[in-house]
Amino acid sequence: MSDLVYILQQMINAVSLGSLYALVAVGLSIVFGVLKLTNFAHGDVMMVGAFTTVLLIGVGMPFIPALFCGILGAALAGLLIERIAYRPVRNAPDVTRLLTSLAVTYILENFGILVFSSSPRNFPLPDALNESWQFMGGAITFTNINLLTLALTFASLIGLGWFITKTTLGLGMRAASEDMSAAQLVGLDVNRLIVVAFIVASGFAGLAGILWAAQAGVIQPQMGFTPLLKAFVAAIIGGFGSIAGALLGGFVLGALEIFIVAFLPDAITPYRDAIVFSLLIAFLLFRPGGILKPNREIKL
Amino acid sequence: MQQHHNADTDRILLETSGLTKVFRGLVALRDHTITLREHEILGVIGPNGSGKSTFFNLITGFSKPNSGQISFDGQSIAGLANSRIVELGIARTFQGSRLFSSLSVSENVLVAAQLRHPIAPLNAILRGSRYYSRLKEAQDIGNRLLEFMGLTAQADRLAADLPYGDQRRLEIARALATEPKLLLLDEPAAGLDSHETHELVSLIRSIRDKFGITVVVVEHDMDLIMTVCERIQVLAAGEVICVGTPEEVRRHPRVREAYLGYE
C-alpha cells in the first residue's frame, strides 16, 4: 500500500516537473518554427518574467496580478529582442543568428547581475500558496503553489492548442513554420507572424520563469540557464520544431528525472543530469527527429 | 468561348522589356520581352536552363533583375517583395509541390484566402463582430475552389496524404485562393499521366473562362502547350527565339532545330 502511495506521489511530481519543462520547450519550438533559430535568450526571458513579478510583489502588488504583469513583461522583452536583435540578422547565415542569440543571452544576464547582483533572492510567495495539503496521513503532500502551477500550465497549454489549431493566426503560424517562402507566396504577413510568435513564446517563458522561481523559492539572474538546457533536451527528445513534440518531450523528461531520483539506487541519483544528457546524445545520434520524428532536419 | 475572351479585351496585363538576369557571370535570361494581354493563355517552352524558371522568379519577386522593366497592370513591379506582388495579383505554383503538407486540404486553401479577407491578429483571438463574416468569406472561397478542383471529398485530409495528382490540383487551388489576375503555372503536367494531363488542359481553360484569369504555363510537355495555349514563346539559352501562335511556332525553323524530331 505505501509503495503504491509513494508511486502516486512520484507521478504527481513527474507531471508537475514535466509540465514546467513542457512550458519552456513549447516556447523554444514556437520560435524555432517560424525563424529556424534556437533562441538561447529564451531562458533569460524567463528571468525577466520572474524578476518583474518579484519587483511588483515588492511594491505591494498581490501575487496573481503580479504574475500576469510578469507574463506581460516577458512578452514585451521577447518583442524587443525580436525587433532589436533578431530582425536585422533575419536573413544572415545560421551561425550569425545563433551568435546573436547567445549575445542577447549574455547582455540580459549581465544586465540582470548589474541591477540585482548575482546573489539569489527569496521569492516572496504569499503564505497562502505555501500551505500544503496532506493525504493518506502525510504520504501524499502537495502545496497550493504546486496546484497553481499545474492549473496554470495546463490551462495555458490548452489555450495554446486552441490558438494553434483553431484560430486563423495559428493557422498562418503553422503554414509559415512549414515553408516560409510558400507562406509569403500566398500573401501571409510574415513579419506579423514572427512578432506574434515571439509574444506568445515569451509569454510562455515568463509564466514558466515565475512558476519555476516560485517553486524553487529563489530567483537569480542566471536562473534561466538550467531550465533552458532541459527544455532543449525535452524538445529534441519529443521532436524539435514541433509543438506537440515539445509537450511530449517535456513530460517524458520530467518523468525520467523523477524516476531516476525516486526509484533508482541512491548511488545513481547524482548522475541524473549525466543520464539525461546521454539520452540527448543518443537521440541526436540515432533518432534526430525525436519521438514524433517530424519531417525536418535539426538545424541549430 | 476563347474567341469571346480574346475579343473583349486588348488590355495589356503584363509587359516585360529588356529583362536580364545574370547569375555569377552566367546569363540566365537576356533581354526578355513579352506583352501579355488580359485573358490570354501564354505558353513558355524551352529546354532546361533556357530561362523559363528565371522568368517566373523575376516576375514573382523571388529574384531581382539586373536590368529591364516589368510592368503589371500598369505598375512597375521589378524588384518588389514577393508578398507585395501576390497582393497586386500574381499567383504561382512551383515545379515540385510546395504545399503545407502538415495542414489539411481545406486549411491550405484557407491560409491563402485570408489574403483578400484578412482578420486582424487580436480579432482572431477575441472574435469580434467582423471575425465570423470574414472567416466565412474566406471559407466560402476555399470551398468553392475545392469543389471546382474536385477536392471537396478530401477537404479534411492532410495535404501530405493526397495522391500526387490531387496535390498538384490543390497547389493550383491554393494559388487561386489569393484571387489573382495572373496565374503562373510552373510545369503543371510534370509527373501526371496522360489522362491527368488531358484533364489539366480543360482545367487551365476553365480557370481562364470561369474566373477571367490570365494564365502563363511553363512546360516541357509540347502537346499540352500546343493544345492549351493561344500564344507560345520559345526560349533557348536565356534568349527569346520566337513568339507566335502554336502553328507559327511549330513551323519556325529555329524551333524545329531546337526540338529536332518533334512532329
Side-chain angles (χ1 to χ4, degrees):
Chain A
M1 181 64 197
S2 75
D3 276 358
L4 222 69
V5 171
Y6 182 69
I7 291 171
L8 189 64
Q9 170 78 57
Q10 297 309 327
M11 280 169 71
I12 293 170
N13 292 347
V15 171
S16 177
L17 183 64
S19 66
L20 275 177
Y21 286 154
L23 214 51
V24 187
V26 152
L28 275 181
S29 270
I30 291 173
V31 168
F32 184 82
V34 292
L35 276 194
K36 302 292 172 273
L37 167 80
T38 306
N39 183 19
F40 286 111
H42 198 67
D44 303 290
V45 175
M46 293 175 67
M47 178 267 288
V48 171
F51 271 100
T52 308
T53 300
V54 168
L55 286 181
L56 289 174
I57 292 175
V59 297
M61 192 186 271
F63 178 73
I64 295 293
L67 179 133
F68 282 103
C69 289
I71 295 172
L72 287 180
L76 184 68
L79 190 73
L80 291 175
I81 291 170
E82 194 279 324
R83 190 71 194 80
I84 296 168
Y86 293 160
R87 195 175 295 188
V89 295
R90 194 183 290 167
N91 299 313
D94 287 344
V95 174
T96 311
R97 304 188 315 138
L98 199 66
L99 289 177
T100 305
S101 113
L102 277 173
V104 173
T105 303
Y106 279 102
I107 291 168
L108 283 179
E109 275 180 23
N110 284 296
F111 181 75
I113 291 170
L114 212 64
V115 176
F116 305 107
S117 92
S118 59
S119 51
R121 301 176 169 212
N122 277 335
F123 191 98
L125 198 63
D127 292 339
L129 285 172
N130 270 327
E131 268 174 35
S132 63
W133 300 74
Q134 303 198 331
F135 297 92
M136 316 219 178
I140 291 184
T141 305
F142 43 91
T143 57
N144 276 336
I145 185 66
N146 291 144
L147 284 180
L148 186 71
T149 301
L150 278 177
L152 284 176
T153 25
F154 277 91
S156 60
L157 291 174
I158 290 167
L160 179 71
W162 174 82
F163 172 76
I164 294 288
T165 57
K166 300 281 188 241
T167 71
T168 48
L169 210 53
L171 178 63
M173 271 175 53
R174 278 185 289 150
S177 301
E178 193 168 316
D179 188 336
M180 192 55 102
S181 66
Q184 285 175 318
L185 191 80
V186 297
L188 283 177
D189 186 340
V190 165
N191 259 339
R192 189 162 80 187
L193 288 175
I194 290 174
V195 166
V196 171
F198 264 89
I199 291 176
V200 173
S202 303
F204 270 81
L207 175 63
I210 297 161
L211 294 175
W212 189 285
Q215 299 250 19
V218 288
I219 54 168
Q220 50 136 329
Q222 292 104 324
M223 61 169 275
F225 183 71
T226 305
L228 176 83
L229 219 51
K230 293 292 175 65
F232 194 57
V233 176
I236 287 178
I237 290 177
F240 207 61
S242 133
I243 287 172
L247 282 179
L248 179 67
F251 285 105
V252 168
L253 185 63
L256 179 72
E257 289 197 349
I258 295 295
F259 174 79
I260 292 170
V261 174
F263 296 104
L264 293 186
D266 285 348
I268 294 179
T269 305
Y271 298 106
R272 185 186 68 173
D273 285 357
I275 296 172
V276 165
F277 289 115
S278 305
L279 185 73
L280 168 70
I281 292 170
F283 261 94
L284 285 175
L285 282 177
F286 302 113
R287 200 179 166 89
I291 298 171
L292 290 187
K293 217 173 186 180
N295 292 332
R296 207 174 274 133
E297 278 179 35
I298 295 225
K299 228 167 77 175
L300 285 184
Chain B
M1 197 71 179
Q2 289 180 19
Q3 297 309 323
H4 166 74
H5 273 291
N6 284 336
D8 73 350
T9 174
D10 282 322
R11 215 166 78 86
I12 290 167
L13 187 62
L14 180 83
E15 200 171 13
T16 66
S17 64
L19 203 57
T20 298
K21 178 69 186 179
V22 183
F23 288 110
R24 297 192 185 116
L26 198 77
V27 181
L29 198 65
R30 187 200 302 276
D31 207 18
H32 182 270
T33 300
I34 189 79
T35 304
L36 185 67
R37 287 185 301 275
E38 209 167 21
H39 298 150
E40 198 176 3
I41 301 180
L42 175 81
V44 179
I45 56 171
N48 273 332
S50 59
K52 304 185 306 276
S53 293
T54 307
F55 168 57
F56 268 16
N57 286 340
L58 290 177
I59 292 179
T60 50
F62 273 80
S63 58
K64 297 189 192 327
N66 295 82
S67 61
Q69 296 297 318
I70 311 169
S71 141
F72 175 71
D73 217 8
Q75 188 175 347
S76 168
I77 59 164
L80 289 185
N82 50 15
S83 52
R84 177 81 190 113
I85 289 173
V86 187
E87 251 176 71
L88 290 172
I90 303 181
R92 74 173 284 184
T93 62
F94 282 92
Q95 267 175 45
S97 176
R98 289 283 292 274
L99 288 170
F100 303 120
S101 52
S102 65
L103 268 53
S104 75
V105 168
S106 59
E107 284 174 334
N108 264 278
V109 188
L110 183 61
V111 148
Q114 286 180 54
L115 174 65
R116 308 285 172 203
H117 308 277
I119 295 167
L122 269 184
N123 205 10
I125 297 163
L126 301 177
R127 314 217 152 166
S129 57
R130 302 199 61 181
Y131 172 80
Y132 291 100
S133 61
R134 281 285 173 80
L135 183 63
K136 182 148 190 335
E137 287 166 19
Q139 282 168 337
D140 284 349
I141 283 165
N143 291 339
R144 256 182 285 149
L145 283 171
L146 291 185
E147 202 185 323
F148 175 68
M149 293 287 171
L151 292 169
T152 306
Q154 324 260 39
D156 295 327
R157 290 179 74 184
L158 286 186
D161 296 340
L162 289 187
Y164 181 75
D166 287 352
Q167 288 191 359
R168 297 310 306 252
R169 285 214 301 283
L170 177 56
E171 216 185 344
I172 297 176
R174 188 180 68 178
L176 288 175
T178 63
E179 298 173 49
K181 294 175 186 143
L182 172 63
L183 176 66
L184 309 178
L185 300 172
D186 198 349
E187 301 200 6
L192 299 187
D193 61 33
S194 63
H195 173 69
E196 287 170 325
T197 307
H198 188 71
E199 283 183 343
L200 184 63
V201 169
S202 50
L203 180 67
I204 292 173
R205 284 201 181 119
S206 61
I207 286 171
R208 192 268 307 272
D209 295 340
K210 276 200 183 138
F211 302 105
I213 294 171
T214 311
V215 183
V216 181
V217 188
V218 156
E219 244 319 324
H220 278 303
D221 188 319
M222 290 285 267
D223 287 337
L224 174 80
I225 288 267
M226 292 287 173
T227 316
V228 78
C229 297
E230 287 139 5
R231 277 201 310 151
I232 294 169
Q233 179 173 61
V234 186
L235 302 179
E239 302 199 29
V240 178
I241 292 186
C242 70
V243 190
T245 64
E247 209 38 53
E248 289 164 355
V249 164
R250 210 191 293 268
R251 281 198 299 263
H252 196 281
R254 283 194 62 192
V255 176
R256 298 182 69 99
E257 186 188 315
Y259 284 87
L260 202 67
Y262 175 70
E263 273 184 326

